[in-house]
Amino acid sequence: MSPTAENPTGPAAGAATAALTAVAPAAAVVPGVEERVIARVISDDPLYRKIPVALRYAPAEPLAVRIVFPAGLSPEGTDNEWVLPRSLLESGLQAPTGTGDVRVWPCGRVQAVVELHSPEGVAVIQFDIAALRRFLRRAAASAPAAATRPA
């Protein structure tokens, strides 16, 4: 992107800035949460492979979390993002849960497994429970009040 496109100038830019300024006070922007963790791909190979993973939460989607795998892992060369219910991830730290494309279960006292099913196959990823809990606490703290109250 050119510097002009990133930092527009002229009358149109002033109008766009004014429009943004007028809207900003009415809509309070709540920052999202991102936690970068190292996960392990579980396979038949005796040595597991460590991968960087981004855990994301956006207050605009208060019931969902995203697990984003790096582009190098996908055949398309793009980030691979899975969206799942926040409650599924929370419950899966305590007991096995999930019956569809995503399943989560504790693996001992310090690990949790996330199993992802797609038409291309199954991926089994192991996370440190402490990292997932830290992320979920931060997500809950930034969640809108309606998303944290029981229904």
Side-chain angles (χ1 to χ4, degrees):
M1 188 180 299
S2 71
T4 305
E6 289 177 339
N7 301 309
T9 58
T17 304
L20 286 176
T21 314
V23 172
V29 177
V30 179
V33 173
E34 181 170 312
E35 184 94 19
R36 298 214 173 247
V37 300
I38 298 296
R40 290 164 288 287
V41 176
I42 307 300
S43 67
D44 293 340
D45 192 350
L47 299 175
Y48 57 82
R49 187 167 79 167
K50 292 182 179 182
I51 57 169
V53 176
L55 304 170
R56 294 183 181 148
Y57 168 80
E61 297 178 295
L63 304 178
V65 294
R66 296 172 183 272
I67 300 176
V68 184
F69 298 98
L73 295 178
S74 79
E76 299 84 21
T78 59
D79 285 352
N80 190 342
E81 184 174 89
W82 285 75
V83 178
L84 56 137
R86 194 173 77 189
S87 60
L88 178 79
L89 190 56
E90 291 167 343
S91 298
L93 299 182
Q94 306 302 315
T97 189
T99 57
D101 294 336
V102 180
R103 298 174 185 153
V104 182
W105 66 89
C107 181
R109 292 173 34 158
V110 297
Q111 303 293 317
V113 172
V114 177
E115 184 178 285
L116 306 166
H117 295 254
S118 76
E120 291 80 29
V122 177
V124 181
I125 314 296
Q126 189 176 52
F127 291 89
D128 289 335
I129 285 180
L132 294 177
R133 284 193 176 128
R134 182 176 53 246
F135 166 71
L136 289 167
R137 273 195 307 272
R138 290 179 60 211
S142 70
T148 56
R149 281 188 244 126

